Amino acid sequence: MFPEDIAFSSNPEEISKFLEENQIENINSFFHICISELGTDFLYVNTDDNEYFIPLIYNVESSYGYKNRQILTRNELVEKVEEPIKRLEENKNLDIGSSPDTTNPNKINKYAIVLILSLSIFLIILLSNRKFKKV
């Protein structure tokens, strides 16, 4: 992550202020989720009314349509990544099921990306449905 995002994500007072400024209240659970393959960490917030994901992008500006520190609901996040996953599945020019090509770092194994995105979303949804004790 960028230094300012590291400082932000490790400072509970700053996170609380950010959430309060964005009218996110009655928090039941909070997670910091790292998905290094996407070049993004997510702050996950479960409230009485909704679930929110706040991306902290550290690789490049995401090609999935979300922006750094943009507040997304679970449905909005799924909508953002759904179309790129479909494009990856349809793109016949990407390497499929091959070993990483160390001579060309720009080649992408589309199944690896689809698998990572799918597992990440599944994990987020699974964790979001668990009941946690309020602190």
Side-chain angles (χ1 to χ4, degrees), residues 1-45:
M1 279 188 289
F2 296 110
E4 59 272 10
D5 288 329
I6 292 172
F8 171 74
S9 68
S10 62
N11 185 333
E13 290 83 19
E14 194 170 339
I15 293 171
S16 293
K17 180 181 174 188
F18 176 82
L19 296 173
E20 187 177 300
E21 289 172 352
N22 288 283
Q23 292 79 42
I24 298 177
E25 314 174 317
N26 302 320
I27 297 169
N28 298 319
S29 58
F30 173 87
F31 297 99
H32 182 146
I33 303 166
C34 177
I35 307 175
S36 58
E37 293 82 2
L38 298 179
T40 306
D41 282 13
F42 289 94
L43 301 181
Y44 167 79
V45 182

Side-chain angles (χ1 to χ4, degrees), residues 59-112:
N59 189 2
V60 293
E61 193 64 25
S62 174
S63 61
Y64 301 102
Y66 49 78
K67 305 276 188 230
N68 201 43
R69 295 195 199 182
Q70 174 188 11
I71 298 172
L72 302 166
T73 63
R74 181 192 339 179
N75 291 339
E76 289 170 335
L77 179 62
V78 170
E79 286 174 16
K80 297 276 187 196
V81 298
E82 187 174 44
E83 184 59 32
I85 289 173
K86 286 180 183 177
R87 281 193 310 236
L88 283 170
E89 290 174 339
E90 294 169 359
N91 190 340
K92 305 298 183 214
N93 296 322
L94 298 176
D95 283 349
I96 299 173
S98 62
S99 317
D101 183 352
T102 55
T103 62
N104 185 355
N106 295 322
K107 285 191 176 179
I108 301 170
N109 183 325
K110 78 174 185 179
Y111 287 133

